[in-house]
Amino acid sequence: MYFGSFNPLHIGHLAIANYLAVQNGIDEVWFVLSPVNPWKDLKEQLPFEFRASIINDAIKKDTRFRLCTIEAILPRPHYTVSSLRAISLMHPDTHFQLLIGGDNWAEIHKWHQYERLLAGFTVYIYPRRGYPVDTTLYGARPVYLENAPIMEISSTAIRNAVKNNIDLRHWIAGDYWEQLVTKLNNL
């Protein structure tokens, strides 16, 4: 499970998902789209349906990837542990695992019921510059993807580029640059 606001989805997200699938033998990577990220500026949040359509378009030819929009129907606030439990109940024969960045690992002790999350799900940690990872924390046994390629692409950089009339269309996954520019300029 790859949770995020994907605001917008970019080629770095897909490269990380591909790495997880190829290098770690993961059958499917589910992109769990968050309707609202409480830690981010809502004024820069693209509409949920637009972000979902971007993801669907980007992954439609890769059977290893799947979009999950369950958080659109779950009650708020959206806690990762609650969403994972709901998804697990809907798919009892599937063993779900969680992919997070090293920045999230450093803060996971602040997450709602993080102990339950770590006890119930394998956590894969993607390295992020500036965030050393101590896998001995919290009594968990995470899988640190220390050899994963570091992606220096971010949704924030793409949004900032649009504000500054810089064309980063090759950073996004798909042919929706003009739509993205229009949507971001109308926020």
Side-chain angles (χ1 to χ4, degrees):
M1 306 304 284
Y2 190 178
F3 284 75
S5 55
F6 305 107
N7 187 41
L9 180 80
H10 54 71
I11 59 174
H13 291 125
L14 296 174
I16 292 166
N18 186 68
Y19 179 86
L20 186 65
V22 170
Q23 298 298 322
N24 294 279
I26 304 296
D27 295 329
E28 286 186 332
V29 177
W30 291 23
F31 291 81
V32 183
L33 180 60
S34 176
V36 177
N37 186 326
W39 306 108
K40 306 226 173 142
D41 185 354
L42 294 179
K43 291 180 273 184
E44 292 188 353
Q45 188 79 54
L46 291 161
F48 180 82
E49 297 78 16
F50 180 67
R51 290 179 287 129
S53 70
I54 290 170
I55 296 169
N56 265 330
D57 187 57
I59 67 174
K60 67 184 173 193
K61 293 182 181 174
D62 194 329
T63 59
R64 301 168 305 159
F65 299 160
R66 184 172 176 177
L67 172 62
C68 178
T69 58
I70 193 168
E71 288 193 344
I73 60 170
L74 290 176
R76 291 185 184 172
H78 298 122
Y79 296 118
T80 302
V81 68
S82 301
S83 298
L84 278 169
R85 280 197 307 245
I87 295 166
S88 295
L89 287 171
M90 293 171 66
H91 302 276
D93 296 331
T94 303
H95 174 71
F96 290 103
Q97 301 165 36
L98 176 64
L99 172 64
I100 65 173
D103 53 335
N104 286 318
W105 180 251
E107 301 286 322
I108 203 163
H109 65 282
K110 297 177 183 176
W111 290 22
H112 180 73
Q113 296 182 0
Y114 81 93
E115 301 96 337
R116 196 172 201 177
L117 178 70
L118 296 177
F121 300 92
T122 301
V123 176
Y124 285 82
I125 305 170
Y126 172 75
R128 300 285 301 260
R129 286 200 202 285
Y131 295 93
V133 172
D134 181 352
T135 58
T136 65
L137 295 176
Y138 319 118
R141 293 192 150 164
V143 178
Y144 182 44
L145 304 172
E146 61 187 319
N147 295 319
I150 304 294
M151 297 292 134
E152 298 292 345
I153 297 172
S154 74
S155 296
T156 301
I158 292 169
R159 290 191 310 273
N160 288 338
V162 169
K163 285 180 195 173
N164 294 303
N165 294 316
I166 298 169
D167 188 335
L168 293 182
R169 75 179 63 233
H170 299 293
W171 285 23
I172 62 172
D175 187 25
Y176 61 90
W177 181 256
E178 286 78 16
Q179 287 179 297
L180 177 65
V181 169
T182 300
K183 294 243 185 243
L184 285 171
N185 286 330
N186 289 326
L187 290 179

